[in-house]
């Protein structure tokens, strides 16, 4: 049986060298091919390269190819410069990525890209547009990598960070997500610092445990949103599968092994999870654990969930400061006007 084609954005340069070992290619050529596909967005393996015989290149072309997503739509927010890209890959369904501008340092303009790891999502968090779509499929590694490659090719400043916070639960597509993170951080690929690659989870405990056991160098964010069991069950159905005590045990283990401060994300829902009792429950749950709390305003186009008023938000922050005594920050969730903000990705054309 004929071997399947090697997909360049599916593999690290080391794996590519192994897959093509029988051709005895010089290391430099393998790294060149890898960088051309991943970093420079080449669409095909070249026919000519100085110092490489056309025969060798022909053999590479017979064995390997550069897959590419189809870009269906792009929209840029006139308000804050966030850009949303709509893609189609090799399988069913459409998915989105968001380019986030980090323009506060004029001498170091750069972007972070928020990528999707699945088409849709099975976890059904009640305030999330992706959750309302249901699950369609896992993305392949190259489909994750090419979101960043294409956005980089479309951008005037470099992409210096990747967050797995787009469509899907990254820990439910673990192998491909980690492989994509490896490719992003390879020096001869995109060379994105591993610490600038963030993998988020809404609380898939086996994924967190594996991430810890494998000592993955990437950042981890756990979306908590509630520290009270009944409330969390009503907001995040995963709470019924991996309840808070089990989740916190996995997070404590992560901290014990890595000694890293744990970042929790908290989607702020007016009148629901912003009370003194919520702050107190969080303090009790995380006692003794160094944490950073990211507050993210909800973005719910259906209007079922609202953002808090300034008074409510300030009162919650005060309560958190008093009860928690840990750093709390409000994360700007931009691109609302283009439906590109957290919780709004639903793969529809603008
Ligand atoms: Fe899935 Fe994340 Fe949306 Fe929850 S918030 S439904 S895990 S995409």
């Amino acid at each position: 049986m004929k071997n399947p084609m090697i997909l360049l954005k599916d593999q690290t340069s080391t794996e590519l060298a192994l897959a093509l070992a029988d051709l005895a290619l010089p290391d430099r050529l393998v790294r060149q091919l890898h960088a051309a596909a991943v970093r420079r967005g080449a669409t095909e393996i070249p026919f000519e390269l100085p110092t490489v015989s056309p025969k060798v290149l022909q053999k590479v072309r017979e064995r390997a190819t550069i897959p590419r997503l189809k870009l269906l739509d792009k929209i840029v927010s006139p308000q804050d410069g966030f850009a949303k890209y709509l893609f189609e890959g090799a399988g069913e369904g459409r998915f989105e990525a968001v380019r986030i501008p980090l323009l506060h340092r004029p001498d170091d303009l750069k972007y972070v890209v928020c990528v999707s790891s699945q088409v849709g999502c099975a976890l059904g968090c009640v305030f999330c547009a992706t959750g309302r779509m249901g699950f369609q499929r896992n993305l392949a590694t190259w489909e994750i990598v090419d979101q960043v490659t294409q956005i980089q090719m479309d951008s005037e400043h470099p992409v210096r960070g990747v967050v797995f916070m787009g469509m899907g639960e990254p820990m439910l597509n673990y192998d491909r997500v980690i492989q994509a993170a490896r490719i992003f951080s390879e020096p001869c690929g995109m060379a994105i610092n591993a610490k600038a690659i963030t993998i988020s989870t809404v609380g898939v405990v086996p994924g967190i445990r594996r991430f810890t056991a494998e000592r993955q160098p990437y950042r981890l964010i756990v979306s908590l949103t509630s520290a009270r069991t009944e409330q969390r069950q009503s907001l995040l159905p995963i709470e019924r599968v991996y309840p808070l005590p089990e989740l916190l045990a996995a997070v404590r283990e992560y901290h014990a092994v890595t000694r890293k401060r744990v970042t929790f994300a908290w989607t702020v829902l007016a009148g629901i999870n912003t009370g003194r009792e919520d702050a107190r429950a969080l303090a009790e749950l995380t006692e003794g654990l160094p944490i950073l709390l990211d507050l993210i305003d909800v973005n719910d186009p259906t209007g079922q969930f609202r953002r808090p008023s300034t008074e409510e938000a300030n009162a919650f922050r005060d309560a958190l400061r008093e009860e928690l005594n840990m750093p709390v920050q409000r994360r700007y969730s931009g691109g609302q006007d283009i439906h590109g903000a957290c919780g709004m990705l639903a793969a529809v054309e603008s």
Side-chain angles (χ1 to χ4, degrees):
M1 206 172 78
K2 213 179 154 201
N3 283 335
M5 285 295 257
I6 297 165
L7 303 178
L8 253 61
K9 290 168 191 156
D10 253 353
Q11 307 198 327
T12 62
S13 60
T14 313
E15 290 164 345
L16 183 63
L18 278 175
L20 297 173
D22 58 306
L23 298 183
L25 303 175
D27 285 354
R28 188 181 41 80
L29 172 62
V30 175
R31 284 199 301 272
Q32 241 178 323
L33 289 173
H34 179 75
V38 169
R39 190 194 305 170
R40 291 196 290 281
T43 51
E44 59 180 29
I45 291 162
F47 283 82
E48 274 179 35
L49 276 178
T51 74
V52 184
S53 90
K55 261 193 187 163
V56 170
L57 281 176
Q58 173 59 27
K59 280 189 183 152
V60 175
R61 273 199 308 279
E62 283 163 13
R63 300 266 296 279
T65 184
I66 304 178
R68 203 171 148 76
L69 299 173
K70 187 168 171 197
L71 175 63
L72 300 173
D73 195 23
K74 173 194 170 186
I75 178 166
V76 183
S77 162
Q79 280 176 16
D80 54 24
F82 277 52
K84 186 173 74 165
Y85 295 76
L86 177 66
F87 294 110
E88 204 168 67
E92 272 181 35
R94 297 163 165 197
F95 47 95
E96 291 169 324
V98 179
R99 187 184 69 190
I100 301 165
L102 299 182
L103 306 177
H104 47 281
R105 282 170 52 186
D107 54 336
D108 185 23
L109 305 179
K110 59 190 174 191
Y111 297 108
V112 167
V113 176
C114 176
V115 293
S116 292
S117 54
Q118 300 181 312
V119 181
C121 182
L123 298 189
C125 305
V126 294
F127 44 79
C128 173
T130 310
R132 292 187 192 114
M133 289 171 64
F135 173 73
Q136 289 186 40
R137 69 180 178 95
N138 282 329
L139 292 181
T141 295
W142 75 263
E143 291 176 308
I144 300 171
V145 170
D146 201 36
Q147 294 171 52
V148 180
T149 300
Q150 291 212 25
I151 290 177
Q152 179 63 90
M153 297 319 296
D154 183 55
S155 304
E156 54 181 319
H157 307 301
V159 173
R160 290 271 167 74
V162 175
V163 291
F164 284 84
M165 287 184 148
M167 297 168 70
E169 160 59 53
M171 293 295 186
L172 294 181
N173 191 12
Y174 187 96
D175 290 327
R176 289 148 164 197
V177 162
I178 295 294
Q179 175 74 345
R182 266 187 218 118
I183 294 169
F184 291 140
S185 59
E186 259 202 305
C188 73
M190 279 178 198
I192 295 172
N193 189 323
K195 288 183 190 144
I197 297 174
T198 301
I199 297 179
S200 76
T201 176
V202 81
V204 175
V205 167
I208 298 172
R209 290 202 193 282
R210 188 171 163 196
F211 191 84
T212 304
E214 292 174 356
R215 305 276 205 283
Q216 294 295 348
Y218 315 109
R219 276 189 72 213
L220 177 72
I221 290 193
V222 179
S223 294
L224 205 57
T225 296
S226 174
R228 297 195 282 146
T229 299
E230 269 183 36
Q231 185 188 66
R232 197 165 190 268
Q233 281 178 352
S234 69
L235 298 171
L236 310 178
I238 195 161
E239 172 64 21
R240 293 180 189 277
V241 184
Y242 302 113
L244 281 168
E246 215 178 303
L247 174 58
L248 261 290
V251 168
R252 284 181 190 278
E253 190 182 303
Y254 170 78
H255 170 68
V257 170
T258 63
R259 307 312 301 167
K260 288 182 186 163
R261 185 179 284 275
V262 179
T263 304
F264 286 118
W266 191 279
T267 304
V268 183
L269 310 164
I272 296 177
N273 63 352
T274 57
R276 164 85 45 184
E277 63 282 14
D278 295 296
R280 196 167 296 142
L282 177 61
E284 280 167 17
L285 191 71
T286 59
E287 204 188 344
L289 189 65
I291 70 164
L292 168 67
L293 188 66
D294 265 2
L295 300 177
I296 305 167
D297 283 342
V298 71
N299 297 294
D300 180 12
T302 71
Q304 192 189 345
F305 297 96
R306 286 177 303 103
R307 297 171 159 222
S309 64
T310 309
E311 294 74 49
E312 186 179 348
N314 288 344
F316 185 45
R317 284 182 77 147
D318 289 347
L320 284 168
R321 260 186 218 118
E322 286 161 24
E323 300 287 345
L324 200 58
N325 202 19
M326 288 284 161
V328 177
Q329 64 185 18
R330 184 166 168 231
R331 185 141 50 83
Y332 177 66
S333 178
Q336 290 161 54
D337 55 329
I338 56 165
H339 283 199
C342 294
M344 296 180 94
L345 300 185
V348 287
E349 273 180 70
S350 48

